[in-house]
Amino acid sequence: MHRKNVRVLIVDDDESYRTTLCTLLETEGFIVDAVSDGIQAINVVQKNSFEIVLLDVKMPNVDGLEVLKFVKEHYPDTETIMLTGTGDVRIAVESIKMGAYDYLTKPCSFDELLATLNRTMERKKLLRDNLLMKSELTRLAGTGEIVGQSAALQKVLDMAMKVAASDSTVLIQGPSGTGKELIANFIFKNSSRKDDPFVTLNCASIPETLIESELFGHEKGAFTDAQSTKQGLVEVANGGTLFLDEIGDISPIIQPKLLRFIQTGEFRRVGATTTLKSDVRIISATNKDLASEAARGKFREDLLYRINVITLQLPSLRERKEDIPLLVENFLRKKYGPTSQKKVTTKAMEKLMKYDWPGNIRELENVLERAAILCQDNVIDEDDLFLPFHPAHQSNFIGGKTGTLASLRDVERAHIEGVLRTLNGNKPKAAKILGISLKTLYTKIQQYGIRLD
Ligand SMILES: Nc1ncnc2c1ncn2[C@@H]1O[C@H](COP(=O)(O)OP(=O)(O)OP(=O)(O)O)[C@@H](O)[C@H]1O
Ligand SMILES: [Mg+2]
């Protein structure tokens, strides 16, 4: 956690002490607010989310312990450090029991205060890391290296590198398994927020009824299961990056709230009456065409404009087949370690290059994983590769690819290849059956890069 993102509230009725603390903490890089009494404190904690509150115990009207009680009840993730006078040990102990993180006896040295603040931040970081790990927000997929030298991929990477430095929203579009999550991670790792949280929400995997509370949090008692106050992901990600995966599937009910958050940084926990703020960079991904979803009224157009200040369109594997050998090598190394002896024969590689990969890189990895288990002596041969929709296996050689509909061009290519294979490559006979001249057949074979070895 960087200090630049750490918001501290100082509550003390002693003006000179308050001002001194304020100046010192600001020079240390904290974002500081300061108020002079308990009532103001209770007001201001409802407007901003603070990481840490420095709380004087003795104040007129509403004292420190009352403020502590309020903070712990409504904002349990805000840590509180009590400032007590000498002789207030009993109160100090009491405050710890009530949930304060620590106490300092006034007047304390600035070093002592800083040390306590650092410890508090360390603890918050641990808690946050735990939370991230527990809820599996940080997924291991997408943490790998991005492989590929094709112009199509390099173009995307160049652009990703450029936008990484800015804080603008990025929308990553592309078919399933093309590496959208990997690119999101790449942008995060190359951004100035790289040391801050990277939080992922898969919009498709969370029921519509829970998504609001997952994103924005909820107050205790907001609904039947809300037994305690809970931070939403936008709060957990404060200072960092929020990755909204499968954003095309986000419920229309939540879309206006998300829009408002992106525009203003403001949000409300479910069941809360006050507005909070959080500073989060949004990266989204989808395999849907959001422009046409918007045209069909399924996705708000204003939200689309907000999330795609920059759009990265990932190419399908079919459009960058030249990357297949590198991807194969990378996968075998990643999966079986750098010393692995596993190899792919030339014939097997040719088979991989010919296939259309409707499931893209994820499918390539699955095929290889299976082949690596089945193969003999670490050598992956042609027969170890199971390609379910290889054109020659399709009935009548016509058909779509998994999940997509085939274009006429794809069907024509597959059909020509299938007929040729069935006829053992006899081209004059194939031309006759296809009802085209031999010359046209040769042209098509060349045009589609059909190989029959
Ligand atoms: N350029 C690449 N280099 C190396 N591995 C890659 C590359 N692109 C994707 N992968 C790998 O392919 C798999 C799928 O990638 P990822 O999960 O990022 O795809 P996705 O586009 O988010 O897919 P989906 O739409 O299905 O969620 C992962 O294991 C990822 O590591
Ligand atoms: Mg994905």
Side-chain angles (χ1 to χ4, degrees):
M1 197 183 298
H2 279 329
R3 282 184 186 165
K4 67 174 163 56
N5 298 318
V6 178
R7 256 200 128 93
V8 179
L9 174 66
I10 303 169
V11 188
D12 200 313
D13 57 339
D14 177 341
E15 192 187 337
S16 67
Y17 188 71
R18 197 172 65 232
T19 330
T20 319
L21 267 191
C22 201
T23 319
L24 285 170
L25 291 183
E26 272 171 355
T27 24
E28 284 294 319
F30 292 95
I31 304 168
V32 189
D33 277 89
V35 295
S36 60
D37 65 49
I39 294 185
Q40 285 181 49
I42 285 175
N43 276 321
V44 74
V45 291
Q46 295 181 69
K47 294 207 182 81
N48 275 307
S49 76
F50 291 95
E51 310 270 350
I52 302 169
V53 179
L54 285 173
L55 194 52
D56 186 20
V57 172
K58 274 209 188 99
M59 288 180 299
N61 301 324
V62 174
D63 70 15
L65 289 185
E66 278 175 84
V67 177
L68 171 65
K69 192 158 166 263
F70 181 87
V71 170
K72 281 288 125 184
E73 197 171 314
H74 293 89
Y75 306 99
D77 304 296
T78 300
E79 296 295 353
T80 311
I81 301 167
M82 308 304 287
L83 303 170
T84 63
T86 36
D88 281 346
V89 183
R90 208 179 45 78
I91 294 179
V93 172
E94 179 67 13
S95 68
I96 300 285
K97 274 197 203 143
M98 286 169 63
Y101 173 65
D102 206 347
Y103 67 90
L104 290 164
T105 313
K106 286 205 288 191
C108 64
S109 75
F110 187 58
D111 284 348
E112 202 182 339
L113 172 64
L114 260 193
T116 309
L117 283 173
N118 283 337
R119 250 187 301 124
T120 316
M121 275 157 43
E122 205 40 52
R123 170 187 146 99
K124 282 186 72 72
K125 186 171 166 349
L126 277 178
L127 286 176
R128 177 137 83 172
D129 287 351
N130 258 340
L131 185 68
L132 289 173
M133 246 156 23
K134 262 199 212 128
S135 49
E136 288 177 302
L137 299 172
T138 40
R139 280 186 272 162
L140 284 176
T143 49
E145 191 188 338
I146 302 179
V147 173
Q149 292 178 342
S150 59
L153 181 73
Q154 286 303 326
K155 210 174 97 195
V156 175
L157 286 181
D158 281 352
M159 182 100 156
M161 198 65 195
K162 277 189 202 130
V163 299
S166 75
D167 254 355
S168 57
T169 61
V170 184
L171 174 66
I172 307 166
Q173 293 204 111
S176 153
T178 46
K180 295 186 290 294
E181 188 165 345
L182 203 61
I183 292 285
N185 228 282
F186 173 86
I187 295 174
F188 160 68
K189 281 195 200 132
N190 288 288
S191 75
S192 61
R193 295 172 178 241
K194 64 177 185 299
D195 297 318
D196 298 303
F198 179 76
V199 174
T200 299
L201 174 66
N202 187 324
C203 304
S205 71
I206 295 202
E208 190 174 294
T209 46
L210 287 184
I211 195 151
E212 184 175 357
S213 115
E214 194 67 22
L215 252 184
F216 301 124
H218 61 244
E219 291 291 328
K220 187 173 168 179
F223 45 87
T224 327
D225 291 335
Q227 278 157 10
S228 59
T229 307
K230 183 174 158 269
Q231 277 192 319
L233 297 183
V234 297
E235 258 176 278
V236 176
N238 190 16
T241 309
L242 179 61
F243 175 42
L244 299 172
D245 204 359
E246 320 277 3
I247 193 159
D249 295 297
I250 200 162
S251 144
I253 301 168
I254 200 84
Q255 290 183 22
K257 290 176 178 164
L258 181 60
L259 175 67
R260 172 169 179 238
F261 174 68
I262 298 176
Q263 279 171 330
T264 61
E266 289 179 351
F267 64 98
R268 264 184 205 185
R269 290 179 177 166
V270 178
T273 47
T274 48
T275 304
L276 298 172
K277 263 192 153 240
S278 184
D279 161 32
V280 169
R281 185 209 194 153
I282 307 266
I283 302 178
S284 329
T286 180
N287 54 20
K288 294 193 171 165
D289 176 3
L290 288 190
S292 61
E293 292 286 299
R296 288 171 44 225
K298 300 272 182 203
F299 199 87
R300 284 181 72 117
E301 203 159 15
D302 44 8
L303 179 59
L304 176 57
Y305 286 133
R306 281 288 167 173
I307 60 171
N308 79 344
V309 172
I310 305 289
T311 303
L312 298 178
Q313 181 69 43
L314 279 182
S316 64
L317 185 52
R318 199 179 325 138
E319 295 165 84
R320 54 180 188 107
K321 280 193 173 176
E322 64 265 46
D323 286 338
I324 291 176
L326 274 180
L327 284 164
V328 169
E329 190 194 316
N330 172 262
F331 174 76
L332 294 177
R333 219 180 335 112
K334 180 171 85 178
K335 181 90 189 169
Y336 304 101
T339 54
S340 154
Q341 301 293 309
K342 292 205 194 308
K343 276 193 188 60
V344 173
T345 64
T346 317
K347 280 248 180 283
M349 189 58 86
E350 281 173 7
K351 190 169 171 183
L352 294 174
M353 297 291 280
K354 265 188 214 149
Y355 183 59
D356 258 0
W357 301 110
N360 296 295
I361 298 150
R362 177 167 304 112
E363 186 185 14
L364 174 65
E365 293 190 341
N366 290 342
V367 167
L368 287 172
E369 185 168 357
R370 185 162 163 198
I373 294 166
L374 296 177
C375 73
Q376 299 258 314
D377 305 325
N378 285 330
V379 178
I380 298 175
D381 207 351
E382 182 174 27
D383 295 336
D384 300 321
L385 299 168
F386 290 87
L387 302 178
F389 285 91
H390 192 274
H393 296 157
Q394 288 174 20
S395 59
N396 287 332
F397 319 118
I398 304 167
K401 302 167 201 76
T402 32
T404 64
L405 292 172
S407 68
L408 262 185
R409 196 186 137 87
D410 287 340
V411 172
E412 182 176 76
R413 184 207 148 118
H415 187 61
I416 294 173
E417 190 172 342
V419 170
L420 278 166
R421 276 182 199 282
T422 314
L423 300 173
N424 287 324
N426 185 331
K427 294 182 188 83
K429 216 168 163 183
K432 216 168 187 170
I433 289 173
L434 292 165
I436 52 175
S437 71
L438 190 57
K439 184 166 166 276
T440 309
L441 179 60
Y442 273 114
T443 314
K444 294 209 180 274
I445 289 173
Q446 199 198 15
Q447 185 187 340
Y448 290 132
I450 296 173
R451 293 174 61 181
L452 294 167
D453 37 16

